Amino acid sequence: MTLKAKSVNWSEEFSISKAKTTRAGKGLHVNIAASSKSGTKAKVHFDQGRTLDSKSSGSVDYTTGPIQKKKINAKAKTTYTYTFTKAGYSPGTVSYDSAVYRCDNYYGTSGCAIPDSPTGVSLINQPIIADGIRGLRLRGGHYGDPYGGKPMHWMINDKQKNKNRAAVCPKHPPADMKRAGRTSCDEYPFASAYEGGTHLPAKERTITWVRKAENDSQGGTITTWRRACHVMDHDPFFVIV
C-alpha cells in the first residue's frame, strides 16, 4: 500500500501465489473483500471464485470523501477477509488488518499518512542548530536520533509550546553570543514536541544560541516537513543533522 501526501484516494495491488492442494482441498475457491472506515471506502478488483491451485492477483481502490480544512479524520485500517468455499462444505474465512492510516486536510492539502511510522525532518541547512544537536548526541542525548535513538512526538498545543520554551531558554543571551549576533535561543528537543521543555532530564536536552535568520529558517523547514508528511499531534519523528 502506498498512500498519497496530496490525495485522499489511492490504490494497492496484491497477489496470491499458487497453492498445492490435495484431497478435499482440491477445487477450493477464494473470494476476497476489503473494508475501511473513517470516511474511506475500499473496493476490491479480483476475479472472485478463483481456485487456490492457480496464482492470481488483484487490486484495491480507496476513495475518501471531501475533508474540510483543519479537519483530521479518525485513524482507520483495512480489514481483508478471505472466504473459502467448495460445494458440499461449510465456508471458511480468515482475516487480517493493514497498518493504521489517517487522512486529513489540516494544512490545507488533503492527503494520508501512516502515523505510527516515524518521519524525519532534516536540519542540515541550519548549520549552527545542527551542530548543537550533534554535540548533545555526542554527550549521550539520543531523543530524535534516527541512528538508534528514541523518536520524539509532535505536539499541537501553542500554550504548552510557549511554556516549554520559557522553561529552558533564558530571556537574554550571554554577552559573547550577543557580540556574535547570536541572540536567538534554539531549544532541543523542540518546544513543540512532547519531549520539549524540561520533560526530559538535562542530559537529554540542550539550547543553542543562533542568529535569528537561522532560527526562522528552521521554522520554515519544520513547517514544510509537517505539511508534506501530514504530521499531527503525538506523531513520532526523528531529526536528521
Side-chain angles (χ1 to χ4, degrees), residues 65-82:
I67 307 175
Q68 294 181 353
K69 191 172 182 179
K70 286 294 181 180
K71 175 72 174 179
I72 305 171
N73 283 1
K75 294 179 181 179
K77 58 187 176 183
T78 302
T79 298
Y80 307 92
T81 302
Y82 291 68

Side-chain angles (χ1 to χ4, degrees), residues 14 16 30-32 44-51 56-59:
F14 63 86
I16 300 176
V30 60
N31 293 320
I32 301 176
V44 175
H45 301 279
F46 179 67
D47 186 10
Q48 305 286 5
R50 290 288 297 270
T51 56
S56 55
S57 61
S59 62

Side-chain angles (χ1 to χ4, degrees), residues 44-227:
V44 175
H45 301 279
F46 179 67
D47 186 10
Q48 305 286 5
R50 290 288 297 270
T51 56
L52 283 180
D53 55 7
S54 62
K55 64 180 181 179
S56 55
S57 61
S59 62
V60 183
D61 287 338
Y62 294 88
T63 56
T64 306
I67 307 175
Q68 294 181 353
K69 191 172 182 179
K70 286 294 181 180
K71 175 72 174 179
I72 305 171
N73 283 1
K75 294 179 181 179
K77 58 187 176 183
T78 302
T79 298
Y80 307 92
T81 302
Y82 291 68
T83 301
F84 304 98
T85 60
K86 183 180 178 180
Y89 293 84
S90 298
T93 62
V94 62
S95 62
Y96 62 94
D97 295 332
S98 72
V100 173
Y101 46 82
R102 179 196 59 217
C103 299
D104 73 274
N105 187 14
Y106 190 82
Y107 300 107
T109 301
S110 294
C112 306
I114 297 177
D116 293 335
S117 181
T119 58
V121 55
S122 174
L123 301 183
I124 59 175
N125 290 328
Q126 289 79 42
I128 304 301
I129 292 173
D131 189 58
I133 297 172
R134 286 193 294 267
L136 172 65
R137 291 176 179 174
L138 288 174
R139 299 192 298 272
H142 65 275
Y143 277 85
D145 188 350
Y147 301 103
K150 293 182 179 180
M152 296 194 294
H153 298 82
W154 192 257
M155 179 185 68
I156 301 179
N157 185 327
D158 287 340
K159 185 176 180 179
Q160 184 59 49
K161 176 183 70 175
N162 294 334
K163 288 183 178 179
N164 286 348
R165 182 173 290 116
V168 295
C169 277
K171 292 183 178 181
H172 305 288
D176 59 337
M177 291 292 99
K178 188 174 182 179
R179 287 194 297 270
R182 292 164 57 174
T183 59
S184 183
C185 176
D186 180 76
E187 73 292 334
Y188 186 88
F190 305 148
S192 290
Y194 278 94
E195 294 76 13
T198 56
H199 289 89
L200 296 180
K203 65 179 181 179
E204 292 286 355
R205 48 188 164 87
T206 189
I207 62 169
T208 303
W209 292 96
V210 299
R211 293 181 180 274
K212 185 178 182 301
E214 183 167 336
N215 227 345
D216 290 345
S217 174
Q218 177 188 224
T221 296
I222 291 174
T223 297
T224 299
W225 155 71
R226 289 173 58 199
R227 182 179 292 113

Side-chain angles (χ1 to χ4, degrees), residues 6-33:
K6 295 183 179 181
S7 176
V8 291
N9 302 324
W10 72 96
S11 63
E12 65 176 323
E13 297 180 352
F14 63 86
S15 61
I16 300 176
S17 60
K18 180 180 179 180
K20 182 179 180 180
T21 56
T22 60
R23 298 186 180 181
K26 289 185 177 298
L28 196 63
H29 299 269
V30 60
N31 293 320
I32 301 176

